[in-house]
Amino acid sequence: MTYSLADLEHDIADGSIDTVLVAFPDMQGRMIGKRFQAEFFLEIANDETHGCDYLLANDIDMEPVPGYAAANWGKGYGDFVMKPDLATLMKASWLEGTAIVLCDLSDHHHHEPIAHSPRAILKAQIDRLAAMGYTVNAATELEFYLFDETYRSVLEKGHVNLQTAGDYIQDYHIFQTTKEEGVMRALRKHLQASGIPVESSKGEWGPGQEEINIKYADALTMADRHVVLKNATKEIAYAQGKAVTFMAKWKYELAGSSSHIHMSLADLDGKPMFPDSSDDRGMSDLMKHFMAGQLAYARDITYFLAPYINSYKRFQAGTFAPTKAIWSPDNRTAGFRLCGEHSKSVRVECRMGGADLNPYLAIAALIAAGIRGIEEKLELQPAFVGDAYVSEQLPEISKTLREATDWLRRSEMLKSAFGEAVVAHYVHTAEWEQLEYDRRVTDWELKRGFERS
């Protein structure tokens, strides 16, 4: 289902649309922007609007962070240009009289793309693949926890003793998830009505934990749909007096929430390039090189799959979250899983990413690593078979943000793919996240040391 500017003009004329959300994805993967009166949006639909450049130089609390080269107090925190991408125009059927359009960002003075903006980073990697004769398709499986709480009640409780929507493990459990259908059915219906094709939703392992899957698409479209999906989930839950969290690990004893990323390449005419019936697993040499690159540079790109302190709490053995950067056929203990073996839909699933990732940055990093594998014709290591959790000889996924930041800082592959200034921008983002954590006193420290120390 597509929604064109002509469709929007019609809906504005008949009064069914009166508001247009003009937004861009920030570094945290959130929708940031303005609400336009619909009639006025038509005046700038093929033009531009503006936003403050600190919006790509702040933290998750939206505090301006010192030390960025691209935007700072010395430069006065000026404007950047928000250019609507009309290919992203859609209705937001869960919001009365509202449409959404996502924007690309460019410099206010010379109108070159803002290189460190997430959408520009992904588009640059897609362009690199196109120059090689390939397109990339992706799908992101997104998990979250649903609570019988409001965001305000969560705050008033100090984020403890929260009531999840489920009371017991509900993985694939139809009766338990029936209790949560008020939110989940609304989410599926509204996404579908808004032009985001939904495949399914299901209960995940944790009480109140959900997964929703939307149909695979080209990488940019998938990333766009992912950020709208997250925003819609929060808004639909909020409208029903509920709360959700996309934290990678909201509670120690419960399963974390992931965002597994499935990827495959096609030629520029759409022909799948990963299948090869002559191979014993149905994998083409191109696929093997692409996967070998992702494995070889898994530590370089971990930050973009796990961007926060909390992200690394998810990497626990025996929790369906990976701890080893290896691949295996249909094995959920591995960091990379071969899916669709011996089929036209054969693909690689990266299981490292948490639900807190920014899809543009995560997919771009996976593409960059895959491209390096193709360029260097890297040989795919033999498939691992067995329980990767218990093997001590396998390459580990970074265990902390500090470790992942160090790999990012030293990554020549990413500096070549993204540009040194872009990598430096995100190294600074990671270092600020670490600093903010390091200087805070946590509840765990108080409970453990207040009397005993």
Side-chain angles (χ1 to χ4, degrees), residues 244-431:
V244 302
T245 185
F246 291 96
M247 286 182 69
K249 188 81 167 178
W250 87 271
K251 196 171 187 179
Y252 168 74
E253 62 267 28
L254 296 181
S257 292
S258 67
S259 180
H260 301 154
I261 299 176
H262 295 247
M263 300 183 73
S264 63
L265 299 186
D267 67 16
L268 298 181
D269 294 321
K271 178 185 176 182
M273 298 299 292
F274 275 6
D276 183 348
S277 59
S278 67
D279 181 71
D280 60 354
R281 294 194 184 278
M283 302 165 64
S284 67
D285 287 342
L286 178 71
M287 180 177 185
K288 292 175 184 178
H289 296 324
F290 190 79
M291 286 179 63
Q294 293 183 339
L295 287 160
Y297 295 99
R299 287 187 173 180
D300 294 50
I301 66 175
T302 296
Y303 168 74
F304 292 114
L305 296 160
Y308 302 107
I309 290 286
N310 178 260
S311 307
Y312 296 82
K313 310 296 175 67
R314 176 177 153 264
F315 297 135
Q316 302 291 332
T319 65
F320 289 100
T323 59
K324 306 293 196 306
I326 48 93
W327 79 277
S328 187
D330 201 19
N331 183 340
R332 286 180 168 83
T333 71
F336 293 82
R337 182 169 71 120
L338 175 65
C339 298
E341 189 174 351
H342 295 297
S343 77
K344 65 180 181 180
S345 61
V346 65
R347 62 197 182 278
V348 56
E349 175 195 34
C350 175
R351 298 179 58 80
M352 291 168 57
D356 54 352
L357 59 71
N358 180 321
Y360 301 91
L361 301 178
I363 295 172
L366 285 164
I367 292 172
I371 287 176
R372 180 61 66 90
I374 295 170
E375 290 175 338
E376 297 183 347
K377 291 184 168 54
L378 295 181
E379 185 176 348
L380 183 63
Q381 61 191 239
F384 175 82
V385 178
D387 183 352
Y389 292 133
V390 300
S391 177
E392 297 179 357
Q393 305 303 316
L394 300 175
E396 297 273 354
I397 293 171
S398 294
K399 289 182 167 56
T400 65
L401 177 63
R402 203 183 307 275
E403 182 182 346
T405 303
D406 190 49
W407 278 91
L408 173 63
R409 184 185 298 110
R410 294 185 287 111
S411 178
E412 293 302 322
M413 182 277 291
L414 284 173
K415 290 174 184 175
S416 175
F418 290 2
E420 291 194 16
V422 171
V423 171
H425 189 90
Y426 284 93
V427 167
H428 187 67
T429 304
E431 289 173 338

Side-chain angles (χ1 to χ4, degrees), residues 120-156:
I121 291 172
L122 176 54
K123 290 176 79 170
Q125 300 312 301
I126 292 170
D127 287 346
R128 290 181 68 205
L129 266 181
M132 300 168 71
Y134 306 119
T135 61
V136 58
N137 294 315
T140 57
E141 302 175 5
L142 190 56
E143 299 171 358
F144 59 92
Y145 276 86
L146 176 65
F147 295 87
D148 289 337
E149 306 272 0
T150 65
Y151 284 114
R152 182 156 292 170
S153 72
V154 169
L155 189 62
E156 290 170 348

